[in-house]
Amino acid sequence: RQIFLRLRRAMLGVARFGPKRTACCGCSRRWYSADVPIVGCGSNVVDVFFKVRAMPVAGTKQYFANPHKVVEDTIVGGVTLNHLAWAALLGAPTGLLALQGDDDKGDMMRAKMLEMGVSTRHVVHGPHLATAQCHILLDDDGERAIIMAPAATSSIDAQVFEEHFGDAVRSSTIATTEISQVPLTGVLKLLDIARDSLTLTMLDVDVPPSVAAGDAQLGTLKEVLDCVANSDVIKPTLDAAAELLALEATGGESCDAEAAGITLKNGLDEVALQLQEAFGSRMVAVTDGKRGCGLAAVSESTGMCMVTTIPGFPGVNQTDSTGAGDAFFGGLVAAIYHNEGLPEDEDTLTLIGNTAAAAGAACCEVLGALPTEGCDSRMASFAPHIEPWLRIAAGDAADASADSAKSHAHVLEHSIAEDAKAVEELLAHVKNAEFGVGFHELCDVLCPSSGSMGRVLTTGVGKSGYVARRLAASLASVGIPSHFIHGTEWVHGDLGSAWSGDVVVILSHSGNTAEVKFLPDMLKRRGVSSAAIVGNKDSALAKNADIVVVAPADNELIGVVPTRSIIVQEVIANALLAEVVDRTDFDQMAFHHNHPGGNLGEVLKSLSNKEK
């Protein structure tokens, strides 16, 4: 197995690294990619903090610390999102691969990502998905209890990953992932795709194998072993190192270090070398809090293994070390990106380690795991060599802001163009003789030549219901007695509102909405006429109604959100109003009689006075 791993990495060699170009600052070169160069798939979560008087115990009642304030704070984070944000701060272009909901937490997450310079291009979101949340209870003693809901992240298995994120990995330079929240089958799929597309892979072993295969239920120990063995760069904590070595020694059967006879070396660099030799990794970084980190890497050109130790920086004013490991990993990602590959000498390995350690140290001085204002300068105080990268990040932020504005402008223009296209297609459709018959039949009912007419009742459900409500209000304002009845109310007593001589105008894009498709039959039995404004001429509603106005509309937003269909319905409503006004010679003064209030009433009153 060791021979296989070494041969695989030897065959890949430096061929993993794509074409290069020189960055604008002249002091760093950047890999080229047609898409987002660095993509990461893993945990992204909204942490909601609650302060309590004491931790709840099963079977008891407990209270919030402040009876008038339930939520203390809400913070965006997550292992993978955190390290992508720190890498972005260091001038590395990153993007998240994630599933999120269209809920308030999801909106908050995506807004924060844009603020931090992490691309949302490959974030899949929708109303059918839920955003990951973590509820954290804090008491006055600093103790905490955490309730985690990975939500949609927990559904990213191999099939889902390929469907939504496969192409993003294929076009990337570096792909990062984690052992934390994503099912291990999804992690393995990322690694498989990356291997085939010569993309460098980096794995953050955030939880040890015993937790991954135990409480976290991410997969099996064998899958943990496969994830680690198939990653180019791994970053475990010292606590997880012994379990990983036991896992390798037993072929994935056990992670019990004592039973497997595993003994860790004393130095962090020595432990990193133990892991590198066991798994055949191209690079290993082992962290141990304030003690620092140890790194081991294999030179692609010489095949020699290099090791180094980066001690913890002095003078760190520790506030919160929760996200230090995530920031460290982000620094590792950014340094490898700016180096355009893994190190070929010990000096470069040390520089990469110093970058990662500087990010971890800066993170310890802020609350939470995401970079805040001043973190860039604090990192530079620990590792001055990163200053050119920070200038790149500042330039990218400005470019991102401009690109964001252009992107929003493009969305606006595209939406308006699609609306206009729907109206143009309707205009072509109205020349159809069948449409003309239905439209004019409805107008004849609204404005009978005899002058004797019943009332107009409009109806619909959902978004069509809103258009129907507006149509009733507008018809009333131009002298046609009309009012709106919600589509769900007819079978709950409102059939009694329709009398012989009335006409019910039913709006429905599909024409197959359960609440209204059989309404014409019920109305006929009461001697009431029905007219349908419908998008589907073959629908049940179109077949049952006395009068049919077909107003088709395609290309709804994301294929299902009522948008173009609403535009078309509003256009038909306006056309009906125009026809009524034309047939009845309805003028401004007549309108003023029906609409004496508001600013419009004042304007019409002023015009009336001038005419007098």
Side-chain angles (χ1 to χ4, degrees):
R1 182 166 165 273
Q2 285 297 309
I3 292 172
F4 168 75
L5 289 171
R6 292 181 186 278
L7 282 173
R8 181 178 75 85
R9 287 176 170 83
M11 285 189 293
L12 291 178
V14 294
R16 278 189 177 276
F17 307 108
K20 304 171 182 178
R21 65 181 176 91
T22 303
C24 56
C25 67
C27 31
S28 171
R29 292 192 300 172
R30 308 174 73 182
W31 296 337
Y32 170 78
S33 173
D35 205 335
V36 183
I38 302 170
V39 294
C41 182
S43 53
N44 54 110
V45 61
V46 175
D47 293 329
V48 185
F49 292 86
F50 305 86
K51 281 191 175 180
V52 293
R53 296 176 185 174
M55 286 297 165
V57 177
T60 67
K61 182 185 292 184
Q62 198 43 259
Y63 298 89
F64 292 106
N66 184 342
H68 304 291
K69 186 178 183 181
V70 175
V71 176
E72 288 293 327
D73 203 357
T74 304
I75 298 175
V76 169
V79 172
T80 295
L81 178 55
N82 292 338
H83 79 239
L84 293 175
W86 283 93
L89 183 61
L90 284 161
T94 64
L96 180 67
L97 311 178
L99 302 178
Q100 297 174 358
D102 276 346
D103 44 35
D104 59 337
K105 299 295 189 295
D107 293 340
M108 177 184 181
M109 181 96 68
R110 292 184 289 277
K112 189 65 176 179
M113 288 173 61
L114 292 173
E115 177 187 325
M116 297 182 301
V118 178
S119 172
T120 61
R121 179 171 182 174
H122 298 296
V123 173
V124 177
H125 58 93
H128 59 294
L129 298 172
T131 305
Q133 294 187 47
C134 182
H135 287 195
I136 303 172
L137 307 182
L138 304 170
D139 66 16
D140 292 337
D141 296 326
E143 294 296 324
R144 64 175 59 192
I146 299 175
I147 305 172
M148 184 69 213
T153 302
S154 63
S155 67
I156 305 178
D157 57 16
Q159 181 178 349
V160 171
F161 189 92
E162 174 63 62
E163 178 183 354
H164 293 296
F165 310 124
D167 289 340
V169 172
R170 292 183 181 95
S171 64
S172 67
T173 302
I174 298 175
T176 72
T177 187
E178 63 180 32
I179 296 181
S180 179
Q181 287 188 16
V182 177
L184 297 182
T185 56
V187 173
L188 286 169
K189 175 56 71 172
L190 179 150
L191 297 172
D192 287 345
I193 294 171
R195 179 190 61 231
D196 294 340
S197 57
L198 304 182
T199 297
L200 181 73
T201 54
M202 300 182 65
L203 177 70
D204 186 353
V205 186
D206 184 61
V207 298
S210 58
V211 175
D215 291 343
Q217 298 181 1
L218 301 177
T220 66
L221 287 176
K222 180 62 169 61
E223 287 171 332
V224 174
L225 175 63
D226 290 342
C227 288
V228 177
N230 285 284
S231 299
D232 295 309
V233 179
I234 61 172
K235 190 229 73 169
T237 63
L238 183 64
D239 292 338
E243 286 195 18
L244 289 174
L245 290 171
L247 201 60
E248 195 280 331
T250 63
E253 293 297 322
S254 170
C255 60
D256 187 330
E258 184 177 353
I262 299 299
T263 302
L264 293 179
K265 299 292 180 66
N266 292 325
L268 291 175
D269 57 342
E270 294 176 305
V271 176
L273 183 58
Q274 280 183 279
L275 289 164
Q276 190 281 320
E277 290 177 339
F279 290 98
S281 309
R282 298 173 71 187
M283 182 172 170
V284 177
V286 178
T287 60
D288 188 28
K290 293 180 180 180
R291 186 180 170 196
C293 64
L295 292 90
V298 176
S299 168
E300 301 288 357
S301 58
T302 67
M304 299 295 292
C305 192
M306 308 163 288
V307 297
T308 188
T309 298
I310 310 296
F313 291 112
V316 176
N317 301 312
Q318 185 163 316
T319 300
D320 180 6
S321 63
T322 303
D326 304 341
F328 178 95
F329 194 68
L332 207 65
V333 171
I336 291 172
Y337 173 77
H338 287 297
N339 188 59
E340 300 186 1
L342 296 174
E344 283 294 306
D345 55 69
E346 193 171 318
D347 287 343
T348 305
L349 179 63
T350 301
L351 181 143
I352 290 174
N354 273 315
T355 303
C363 185
C364 286
E365 297 188 339
V366 300
L367 186 63
L370 289 175
T372 59
E373 186 176 356
C375 282
D376 49 358
S377 59
R378 190 58 174 145
M379 281 192 293
S381 71
F382 293 124
H385 67 271
I386 70 170
E387 289 186 357
W389 305 346
L390 297 175
R391 289 198 292 272
I392 293 173
D396 285 348
D399 292 343
S401 178
D403 290 343
S404 178
K406 290 179 182 177
S407 174
H408 288 306
H410 172 72
V411 172
L412 171 66
E413 293 168 4
H414 178 74
S415 179
I416 294 174
E418 289 297 324
D419 288 349
K421 180 181 176 183
V423 175
E424 289 174 0
E425 291 176 350
L426 177 63
L427 189 59
H429 177 70
V430 300
K431 297 176 182 178
N432 182 298
E434 185 179 356
F435 175 89
V437 170
F439 180 79
H440 289 293
E441 282 183 349
L442 179 54
C443 291
D444 290 341
V445 172
L446 297 178
C447 305
S449 56
S450 64
S452 174
M453 66 173 292
R455 297 163 305 153
V456 176
L457 308 179
T458 68
T459 191
V461 296
K463 306 303 180 289
S464 295
Y466 288 108
V467 180
R469 186 185 297 273
R470 197 281 288 193
L471 175 59
S474 295
L475 285 172
S477 70
V478 294
I480 304 298
S482 58
H483 66 267
F484 169 77
I485 294 177
H486 195 276
T488 60
E489 297 299 327
W490 291 101
V491 294
H492 294 281
D494 281 18
L495 277 170
S497 299
W499 302 342
S500 178
D502 292 344
V503 61
V504 176
V505 180
I506 309 165
L507 279 78
S508 172
H509 177 56
S510 70
N512 290 313
T513 303
E515 294 86 347
V516 297
K517 65 180 181 180
F518 298 123
L519 181 57
D521 290 336
M522 290 185 281
L523 294 170
K524 284 176 185 176
R525 292 195 290 268
R526 305 177 68 87
V528 178
S529 299
S530 62
I533 300 175
V534 64
N536 180 6
K537 66 182 179 64
D538 297 319
S539 63
L541 179 60
K543 293 175 181 178
N544 293 330
D546 299 313
I547 300 170
V548 180
V549 178
V550 179
D554 298 319
N555 205 21
E556 300 277 45
L557 185 63
I558 66 171
V560 293
V561 179
T563 43
R564 269 84 251 184
S565 60
I566 299 304
I567 293 293
V568 167
Q569 288 176 349
E570 289 285 6
V571 168
I572 296 296
N574 287 344
L576 290 172
L577 289 172
E579 188 76 20
V580 167
V581 167
D582 181 68
R583 292 192 184 196
T584 60
D585 295 324
F586 197 83
D587 59 16
Q588 287 185 352
M589 292 305 100
F591 186 75
H592 185 218
H593 285 301
N594 294 337
H595 197 308
N599 182 68
L600 188 53
E602 289 297 321
V603 171
L604 292 171
K605 181 179 179 181
S606 176
L607 291 173
S608 176
N609 291 336
K610 286 181 180 179
E611 288 182 5
K612 293 178 180 178

